[in-house]
Amino acid sequence: MDEPKKISLGEAMKRKLEQKKQQQAQAKGGRDHFSTETKKLQSQINKKPNNQKKRTGV
């Protein structure tokens, strides 16, 4: 009897999601501007230095 091996719901969802991602990548040719891959974290520090003393001449 060829019964499929029983898998957990979580495992089934992971497989389905992976299959969906592969199909989307093939359909788009893999050259779209949006990527689900992780990107290098860039610094979010954009505070400018306080130059009030320089402006007022104190």
Side-chain angles (χ1 to χ4, degrees):
M1 305 254 171
D2 292 330
E3 290 186 20
K5 183 180 174 186
K6 292 193 176 188
I7 56 173
S8 67
L9 181 62
E11 183 68 26
M13 294 298 283
K14 285 179 186 177
R15 289 184 186 182
K16 193 69 172 174
L17 183 62
E18 186 66 31
Q19 188 179 34
K20 185 177 178 182
K21 283 183 181 180
Q22 288 177 353
Q23 288 176 350
Q24 286 178 345
Q26 289 174 354
K28 293 182 181 178
R31 54 180 186 255
D32 55 346
H33 69 280
F34 179 75
S35 175
T36 56
E37 296 178 6
T38 56
K39 295 176 182 162
K40 181 181 174 189
L41 183 65
Q42 296 179 347
S43 175
Q44 296 179 349
I45 301 171
N46 56 3
K47 184 175 180 182
K48 296 182 175 80
N50 185 358
N51 61 358
Q52 184 176 5
K53 288 181 181 179
K54 190 185 293 183
R55 285 186 284 123
T56 57
V58 174

